[in-house]
Amino acid sequence: MGSISENCLGWAARDTSGVLSPYNFIRRDTGPDDVSLTITHCGICYADVAWAKNIPRNTIYPVVPGHEIVGIVREVGSNVRRFKVGDHVGVGPYVNSCKTCEHCKIREEVHCDAETTHTFNSVDEDGTITRGGYSSYIVVQEGYVFKIPDNYSLISAAPLLCAGITVYAPMMRHKMNEPGKSLGVIGLGGLGHLAVKFGKAFGLHVTVFSTSNSKKDEALNLLGADKFIISSDMQQMESSAKSLDFIIDTASGDHPFDPYMALLKPSGVLVLVGFPSEVKFNPMSLLAGSKVISGSVAGGTKDMQEMLDFCAANNIHPEVEVIPIQYVNVALERMENRDVKYRFVIDIANSLK
């Protein structure tokens, strides 16, 4: 192979300021098991800000962020059977794993014993540093590429590849797809708004908890939630005691947990997908009522493909603001300030030149 190995144009952060600017680099040739795709769009995830600014303390500069990648196949390796040139495809937060551990074997690669290779800022098996979707094209092993149904928009698919899977995977794991059950969603950002949409598609009664009344109208009318509660309103909170089967907590700001645990029915489950600085609750909040607190991050390739197919079949679309790459630094800052409804998607195809 190796017929298309040229300069890849991307945007990278050079230092902890996290400011991105144009950056040229070389991607590997398309190997026998690889799919090379022209990137049309890339969603913006909080991970992009975190590694651009070296918040996890392991950034390798220059870093090209982006792990909600969609595009069109431009070349496939000789062993590739699932994809052909012209197919619509997506790539999520990881691009490789060991393939042989018990987790990889059941397509839960996110739990790979050897750790997955992240889509950016990770060391690939050839020793190179992975670079993400804020770029013109990417080369990824076939097993970590997803088919986007032809009738589903590439723009809509982008946020599903991280925000979507992060809430969909635990919803499936905890059987939240049983119609008639009740779900609480804490926080209404990129993850929260998709948890609401999935909940409604599964036939759940959905309550949104927010610190701000400004989101009430959109929660109920745009996203279709059944109920909206201001989390600081103790009266409203107390009147909902023991009413929920499930809670998905997407809030990354620090918040108390006991008031939410009290809203769960016996054997109820709270899934944490946000990233507060600490999690604290009274042991009785867990013991009384045999409640469950569970964490989750991303999901395996099996769940990922199922989710994309489910969203296409049920006409579920994230709410997005599409931007040119030249606006990306403003967008990252706005996202940090929670000023986006509800996910930014970069139009790579029309703006990255």
Side-chain angles (χ1 to χ4, degrees), residues 51-211:
W51 273 279
K53 293 188 167 181
N54 195 24
I55 292 166
R57 306 262 171 100
N58 63 358
T59 300
I60 307 153
Y61 291 105
V63 61
V64 177
H67 63 201
E68 296 183 337
I69 303 168
V70 295
I72 299 166
V73 175
R74 58 182 218 144
E75 187 180 37
V76 296
S78 52
N79 297 339
V80 171
R81 295 290 170 264
R82 286 172 45 235
F83 301 101
K84 61 183 188 308
V85 171
D87 282 355
H88 288 187
V89 292
V91 176
Y94 52 89
V95 291
N96 208 345
S97 64
C98 81
K99 305 179 186 63
T100 54
C101 72
E102 57 178 324
H103 309 293
C104 286
K105 280 180 176 158
I106 59 166
R107 299 184 62 199
E108 283 282 356
E109 299 89 344
V110 66
H111 304 313
C112 175
D113 285 344
E115 203 181 349
T116 54
T117 302
H118 299 289
T119 304
F120 65 91
N121 198 60
S122 223
V123 181
D124 214 345
E125 58 186 44
D126 62 2
T128 59
I129 304 301
T130 56
R131 308 205 185 277
Y134 293 15
S135 59
S136 52
Y137 79 101
I138 192 168
V139 180
V140 179
Q141 284 187 25
E142 175 183 25
Y144 306 87
V145 177
F146 306 100
K147 178 84 186 82
I148 294 170
D150 290 332
N151 65 339
Y152 195 73
S153 112
L154 288 169
I155 292 174
S156 290
L160 296 177
L161 295 163
C162 180
I165 191 62
T166 297
V167 293
Y168 181 87
M171 289 179 91
M172 299 310 283
R173 186 183 317 127
H174 295 287
K175 300 185 173 53
M176 296 191 198
N177 56 345
E178 293 178 16
K181 297 237 166 144
S182 53
L183 167 70
V185 177
I186 306 174
L188 199 58
L191 277 70
H193 97 284
L194 284 169
V196 173
K197 286 182 183 251
F198 290 149
K200 291 312 297 176
F202 291 146
L204 304 180
H205 183 279
V206 179
T207 302
V208 170
F209 298 89
S210 179
T211 52

Side-chain angles (χ1 to χ4, degrees), residues 314-348:
N314 293 277
N315 208 18
I316 298 168
H317 295 271
E319 304 296 325
V320 300
E321 180 177 334
V322 180
I323 61 156
I325 187 81
Q326 292 76 13
Y327 185 78
V328 71
N329 290 306
V330 181
L332 290 169
E333 196 175 317
R334 280 182 53 196
M335 184 183 57
E336 280 190 280
N337 296 327
R338 300 183 177 83
D339 173 25
V340 55
K341 288 177 173 172
Y342 282 84
R343 200 73 161 175
F344 285 116
V345 174
I346 307 168
D347 182 348
I348 298 286

Side-chain angles (χ1 to χ4, degrees), residues 15-27:
D15 56 47
T16 55
S17 70
V19 174
L20 302 174
S21 56
Y23 173 64
N24 286 296
F25 60 99
I26 304 287
R27 291 216 184 264

